[in-house]
Amino acid sequence: EVHLAESGGGLVHPGRSLRLSCAASGFIFDDFVMHWVRQAPGRGPEWVSDISWDSQTIHYADSVKGRFTISRDNAKNTVYLQMNSLRHEDTALYYCAKEGKILDHWGLGTLVSVSS
Amino acid sequence: AIQMTQSPSSLAASVGDRVTITCRASQGVRTDLGWYQQKPGKAPKLLIYTVTALEDGVPSRFSGSGSGTDFTLTITSLQPEDFATYYCVQDYSYPWTFGQGTKVEVK
């Protein structure tokens, strides 16, 4: 059974950094593209970033480009999201998701709150 | 970025009703269109991918249709567990974009 477990969220001041992790199990991790999607309170999901199996192809939403960095460690079955220069508008529940048939499995999410 | 516009933003329906939700893309997305269901406090759940394909375990009362820029999610006979918010998403081009959601509420 596929399982995705996000961690690393928390309350931070604007301008600070956080690193999210997503531990995967139940599938061959390095066969799949992995994504981060966020959802602000009361809003719909917003796609953030994705990374190919070999880390060679990466995409970002314009809203995070230059501030967020996605990476993965296939030996640890883990994908990361390094978030720098955080803004109030980055406050959201951050999900990691596996790309199979589109995004077919999601974690429970980790909450990031950016507030002064 | 491709904009995805859903309508209506909310609707009230009764158990047994046929429900139709539409999603319009600002430009063509071929068949790279999916639908998700989300309940409060839960992650989105995949219902349909590539416009018409039903995800494993999803009841057959859910169906998708459309092409190009106009797509539809239909629930043929609404069940109590179907009251939720539904989102379309395009994975045709980056950035992937979601619709703003359609909340299906009890009438």
Side-chain angles (χ1 to χ4, degrees):
Chain A
E1 182 185 355
V2 172
H3 186 64
L4 299 169
E6 302 91 339
S7 61
L11 174 63
V12 293
H13 292 299
R16 303 301 292 266
S17 299
L18 272 180
R19 187 196 198 201
L20 306 184
S21 300
C22 171
S25 61
F27 63 102
I28 302 173
F29 182 71
D30 51 10
D31 275 357
F32 292 93
V33 176
M34 296 297 295
H35 295 246
W36 287 96
V37 177
R38 68 185 181 183
Q39 189 166 24
R43 304 287 298 273
E46 178 191 13
W47 178 85
V48 173
S49 180
D50 72 352
I51 184 167
S52 62
W53 69 275
D54 60 357
S55 304
Q56 293 303 299
T57 303
I58 287 172
H59 303 93
Y60 296 101
D62 285 347
S63 57
V64 307
K65 201 173 293 183
R67 300 187 300 122
F68 290 11
T69 302
I70 193 171
S71 62
R72 64 190 294 163
D73 184 336
N74 288 343
K76 295 182 177 179
N77 285 3
T78 301
V79 60
Y80 304 97
L81 188 67
Q82 176 67 42
M83 305 187 297
N84 298 333
S85 303
L86 282 161
R87 305 168 179 169
H88 289 109
E89 55 265 35
D90 294 319
T91 293
L93 187 61
Y94 283 72
Y95 296 101
C96 71
K98 166 187 164 287
E99 181 182 334
K101 310 159 193 172
I102 199 164
L103 300 178
D104 52 12
H105 289 86
W106 300 52
L108 297 179
T110 187
L111 184 61
V112 172
S113 295
V114 184
S115 176
S116 49
Chain B
I2 297 175
Q3 184 174 353
M4 307 299 289
T5 303
Q6 286 181 234
S7 60
S9 56
S10 66
L11 64 90
S14 301
V15 172
D17 284 354
R18 180 184 181 94
V19 169
T20 300
I21 299 169
T22 63
C23 179
R24 173 165 287 177
S26 60
Q27 63 188 78
V29 297
R30 295 187 314 188
T31 59
D32 298 329
L33 188 287
W35 290 95
Y36 289 86
Q37 176 194 68
Q38 188 175 32
K39 296 182 179 179
K42 301 290 188 181
K45 173 189 173 185
L46 179 63
L47 298 176
I48 287 170
Y49 58 99
T50 58
V51 180
T52 60
L54 205 63
E55 172 65 333
D56 294 344
V58 174
S60 59
R61 62 181 179 272
F62 291 92
S63 65
S65 64
S67 64
T69 60
D70 294 303
F71 304 92
T72 300
L73 172 70
T74 300
I75 311 171
T76 52
S77 177
L78 196 69
Q79 297 302 299
E81 60 268 29
D82 301 336
F83 292 100
T85 302
Y86 295 84
Y87 296 97
C88 61
V89 61
Q90 66 82 20
D91 64 327
Y92 172 71
S93 71
Y94 288 97
W96 293 16
T97 44
F98 290 81
Q100 82 280 13
T102 296
K103 187 174 184 179
V104 177
E105 300 175 296
V106 177
K107 192 172 191 177

